[in-house]
Amino acid sequence: MQSQVDPYTQLTFHYLNGQTESFVVPDALEDETHHDLRIEVRHILQKDWWLLNLPEQTVMINIANVIKVEVRPALDQLQGEGIFSNAERVTALNRGR
């Protein structure tokens, strides 16, 4: 039996200066087809600025200052060029202070 899917996605931004910041956003793409989801994610990744509307403020993130974005749960619907499906982490990232 399949478990209930969380209707939210967590985005964690890792900045060049070593800081991280996480946001939870509703899954606006949950009803999209696989093809539409792939197009939407690749479109977002090409943007220089990402805007997140929070109840109390809007946060604008300059992606040039970001070295990695983690998305949970995984976007397992993504397929195609440049995507390594069924990858497994062998070692954890060493995070220096």
Side-chain angles (χ1 to χ4, degrees), residues 11 17 22 37 44-45 79 93:
L11 301 173
N17 65 4
S22 295
L37 177 64
I44 291 170
L45 291 173
Q79 300 173 358
L93 178 66

Side-chain angles (χ1 to χ4, degrees), residues 12-17 19 21 48 50 60-70:
T12 302
F13 295 90
H14 296 265
Y15 298 101
L16 291 171
N17 65 4
Q19 294 179 325
E21 185 172 35
D48 293 333
W50 290 16
M60 300 175 193
I61 298 175
N62 183 335
I63 294 301
N65 294 318
V66 175
I67 56 172
K68 179 171 75 169
V69 179
E70 293 179 355

Side-chain angles (χ1 to χ4, degrees), residues 1-70:
M1 181 180 287
Q2 188 173 353
S3 63
Q4 176 91 10
V5 175
D6 192 358
Y8 294 94
T9 298
Q10 177 179 323
L11 301 173
T12 302
F13 295 90
H14 296 265
Y15 298 101
L16 291 171
N17 65 4
Q19 294 179 325
T20 61
E21 185 172 35
S22 295
F23 298 90
V24 175
V25 295
D27 275 347
L29 300 175
E30 66 183 1
D31 294 329
E32 299 286 333
T33 65
H34 296 310
H35 178 70
D36 290 342
L37 177 64
R38 287 194 302 263
I39 291 171
E40 183 66 21
V41 169
R42 290 187 186 264
H43 178 74
I44 291 170
L45 291 173
Q46 293 175 0
K47 299 292 183 185
D48 293 333
W49 288 87
W50 290 16
L51 281 68
L52 297 134
N53 283 321
L54 300 135
E56 70 281 0
Q57 70 183 123
T58 297
V59 177
M60 300 175 193
I61 298 175
N62 183 335
I63 294 301
N65 294 318
V66 175
I67 56 172
K68 179 171 75 169
V69 179
E70 293 179 355

Side-chain angles (χ1 to χ4, degrees), residues 83-96:
I83 297 173
F84 297 93
S85 298
N86 299 318
E88 292 183 30
R89 189 182 308 256
V90 176
T91 61
L93 178 66
N94 292 327
R95 296 186 175 149

